[in-house]
Amino acid sequence: MSDSQDEFGDLMRRLADGSEDAARELLDRYGEHILRVVRRKLNRELRSKFDSVDFVQAVWASFFARPRQRRFDHPQALIAFLVTLAQNKVIDAVRQRLQTQKYNVNRERALDGSVAAEAAGLRAREPTPSQVAVANDEWQRLLADLPARYQRMLVLLREGHTQKDIARELNVNEKTIRRVLEKLNEEPAP
């Protein structure tokens, strides 16, 4: 950047006085330097975990936390300070995400080949809507050809009643129910 010494000095004085316009101007002029360093230094494995702009914001937050403690005589000194600050922020993130056990991205595994991926490929235990529709049609066809007493037996069985309960409710012997079921199983399907 080719800032004149006077412009830079004026910008830093306005910044020290708390000017918001000076802060915006500083961000506009020197933010690109920080972003370039972050993108160059950030490890490929971590690019999906971090946004470069987050690092830029962290650098500016650190810079503005103590603005009066730092004096810069020329723009290159400011740029060098911001670049070093950005490099340190990226290095800290890399250390945390590649060298610590808890957050290490090298320990992450894709779900391909895992139990979760295999489970996703399993068929559901529930029938599909078309299977339910076909089964209901077949059920109605089966019941239509039977006497009312047989129909009642089958409906109760479908509802989950035991043969003993059905025999008691219909006032028949359990053997009668078994014979009806055997007879229905023997009949050929239409």
Side-chain angles (χ1 to χ4, degrees):
M1 300 221 96
S2 60
D3 286 353
S4 73
Q5 198 63 24
D6 293 335
E7 277 183 50
F8 181 75
D10 180 52
L11 177 63
M12 297 311 287
R13 274 189 293 284
R14 288 187 296 135
L15 187 65
D17 292 340
S19 168
E20 286 186 26
D21 291 334
R24 276 193 208 92
E25 189 176 336
L26 188 74
L27 294 174
D28 291 341
R29 282 190 189 182
Y30 301 105
E32 196 60 36
H33 293 282
I34 301 168
L35 189 58
R36 237 184 324 234
V37 169
V38 168
R39 289 185 175 159
R40 190 172 52 233
K41 294 288 184 181
L42 190 58
N43 186 302
R44 285 193 184 282
E45 295 170 337
L46 297 179
R47 289 184 184 167
S48 64
K49 306 288 183 211
F50 294 103
D51 188 355
S52 301
V53 177
D54 292 339
F55 284 104
V56 173
Q57 291 175 350
V59 168
W60 285 122
S62 295
F63 178 80
F64 286 117
R66 297 186 188 100
R68 290 186 175 88
Q69 292 181 352
R70 298 183 186 94
R71 302 272 183 233
F72 302 101
D73 298 330
H74 48 83
Q76 291 76 17
L78 174 64
I79 291 169
F81 175 76
L82 293 173
V83 163
T84 302
L85 197 55
Q87 288 173 336
N88 291 338
K89 298 258 183 221
V90 171
I91 288 169
D92 287 345
V94 168
R95 283 181 184 150
Q96 179 188 29
R97 290 301 186 115
L98 293 177
Q99 296 175 355
T100 62
Q101 191 70 11
K102 185 173 183 180
Y103 299 106
N104 194 332
V105 294
N106 293 323
R107 294 180 54 212
E108 294 178 0
R109 299 288 177 253
L111 289 179
D112 297 340
S114 71
V115 174
E118 290 174 18
L122 295 177
R123 295 185 66 194
R125 293 178 189 244
E126 298 294 318
T128 64
S130 62
Q131 290 171 327
V132 171
V134 168
N136 284 337
D137 288 345
E138 288 179 22
W139 175 253
Q140 293 304 322
R141 242 187 324 246
L142 173 70
L143 290 181
D145 295 338
L146 295 177
R149 184 175 212 139
Y150 289 6
Q151 287 180 7
R152 183 70 183 143
M153 283 181 199
L154 292 177
V155 168
L156 290 171
L157 279 170
R158 190 177 194 199
E159 290 174 355
H161 296 278
T162 64
Q163 290 180 12
K164 189 175 191 175
D165 294 337
I166 296 168
R168 208 174 309 126
E169 183 175 326
L170 298 178
N171 203 18
V172 294
N173 193 315
E174 281 183 63
K175 288 182 182 180
T176 304
I177 296 172
R178 278 195 288 274
R179 276 195 304 265
V180 169
L181 292 176
E182 287 171 7
K183 181 178 176 186
L184 291 174
N185 281 332
E186 292 172 1
E187 289 182 9

